[in-house]
Amino acid sequence: MPYIALKLVEGRSIEKKRELVSSVTKAVCDSLEITPDNVRIELIELKADLFSIGGELVSDRDQVKAK
Amino acid sequence: MPYIALKLVEGRSIEKKRELVSSVTKAVCDSLEITPDNVRIELIELKADLFSIGGELVSDRDQVKAK
Amino acid sequence: MPYIALKLVEGRSIEKKRELVSSVTKAVCDSLEITPDNVRIELIELKADLFSIGGELVSDRDQVKAK
Amino acid sequence: MPYIALKLVEGRSIEKKRELVSSVTKAVCDSLEITPDNVRIELIELKADLFSIGGELVSDRDQVKAK
Amino acid sequence: MPYIALKLVEGRSIEKKRELVSSVTKAVCDSLEITPDNVRIELIELKADLFSIGGELVSDRDQVKAK
Amino acid sequence: MPYIALKLVEGRSIEKKRELVSSVTKAVCDSLEITPDNVRIELIELKADLFSIGGELVSDRDQVKAK
């Protein structure tokens, strides 16, 4: 432990993901005073047409904004 | 909040998904007397060859039925 | 299926929860044209001292508001 | 119930997955003395570039090992 | 890995839980040909008044059956 | 978004949890260049008798170590 599931909307670069898992792991280790080898992070990328806010798919909201 | 993860077998149309997230958001808002903007729904589509019922992959069950 | 995990901040009455699971089940059935017996809903009540928004525990935010 | 979400790194064959869901279902049924028809298993395959151990993406670790 | 979240209705004895995690771990190891030390199982006990089937809380269904 | 579910074994102080959610939120914001108000973290505390490693409940492993 700890096991971290991090949900974010799809689209970040692999470099951003590297930076994300590295800095979140460090933050967890510094706070809980543990070593990194037991810290696991699962990135769950949400697709805009499978995620809604306020009853509307994010993909539909994006299209409205794009017009 | 609330945050809703809704797992369903893969295959519904985008129109069905729109209707689903809209009506579930409304049901949540009406019941809890909250506004929709904080209600998030994540649709998780399960692939038939990654989901089992009674120890058998749904993809295998479907093939048996199709024969 | 479908399996629904609904996360909400702790504190609603049992009557509210009854209304919530009943109306969400109906919304899912009406949208997906399925029968209710396969619809499962898990209510996950989040404790204010185990949930944060913007880096602050909700329990701390509530105390600030209460002052 | 029970509902089982089994997370594993991507890459197993369909035969392995069949064997996995069948034997885990049996293990659950034997232990809890229940029948299989209510046991649902969701296999969640983690992609090496979306999963980290010790702050490092598994995809990067694998590349280091491959050199 | 693998990481297993096993959801079941509350009420089993500690002995049953021991047997469950031991036999499920063995089933996973035998199927995937891995060693047990990396297999983690989280038991998530669902409370009858926080879980619904067919739009009805299990706690309400149990009371109807008890009459 | 993002929504983070952070699972850790039960037992940390409220101060540790404050530090944890604050530093993880900062790490996410710095990496993804987003503002904190949309970052939600759910702390899921695992009980030692509901979590197993290598087929053995952590509560049992702890007792063996304590002897």
Side-chain angles (χ1 to χ4, degrees), chain D residues 1-9 12 16-17 19-21 23-24 27-28 30-34 46 51 53, chain E residues 1-9 12 16-17 19-21 23-24 27-28 30-34 46 51 53:
Chain D
M1 297 308 291
Y3 190 99
I4 298 155
L6 199 156
K7 298 182 177 182
L8 66 174
V9 180
R12 265 73 177 205
K16 276 289 170 198
K17 291 175 203 171
E19 192 189 327
L20 181 62
V21 296
S23 67
V24 167
V28 171
D30 292 351
S31 317
L32 301 184
E33 294 159 86
I34 59 172
L46 304 181
F51 186 65
I53 298 175
Chain E
M1 296 311 286
Y3 189 98
I4 297 154
L6 199 155
K7 298 182 176 181
L8 67 172
V9 180
R12 267 71 177 206
K16 274 291 171 197
K17 290 175 204 169
E19 193 189 325
L20 180 61
V21 296
S23 67
V24 168
V28 171
D30 292 349
S31 318
L32 301 184
E33 296 159 80
I34 58 172
L46 304 180
F51 186 65
I53 297 175

Side-chain angles (χ1 to χ4, degrees), chain F residues 31-61:
Chain F
S31 317
L32 300 184
E33 295 159 79
I34 58 172
T35 57
D37 43 3
N38 271 323
V39 178
R40 284 167 168 68
I41 301 179
E42 178 191 349
L43 297 180
I44 301 167
E45 297 191 297
L46 305 181
K47 297 188 188 308
D49 62 356
L50 287 174
F51 186 65
S52 77
I53 298 175
E56 204 185 358
L57 291 175
V58 168
S59 52
D60 291 339
R61 289 163 68 119

Side-chain angles (χ1 to χ4, degrees), chain A:
Chain A
M1 297 309 289
Y3 189 98
I4 297 154
L6 199 156
K7 297 182 177 182
L8 66 171
V9 179
E10 202 177 30
R12 267 70 177 208
S13 68
I14 184 79
E15 289 73 23
K16 275 291 169 197
K17 291 176 204 170
R18 279 195 191 104
E19 192 189 327
L20 181 61
V21 296
S22 166
S23 67
V24 168
T25 298
K26 185 176 182 317
V28 170
C29 291
D30 293 350
S31 317
L32 301 184
E33 295 159 76
I34 58 172
T35 57
D37 44 3
N38 271 323
V39 179
R40 285 165 168 68
I41 300 178
E42 178 191 346
L43 297 179
I44 300 167
E45 296 191 299
L46 304 182
K47 297 185 186 313
D49 63 356
L50 286 175
F51 187 64
S52 77
I53 298 175
E56 205 185 354
L57 292 175
V58 168
S59 51
D60 290 340
R61 288 164 68 119
D62 292 350
Q63 274 174 9
V64 167
K65 278 184 210 154
K67 280 176 189 157

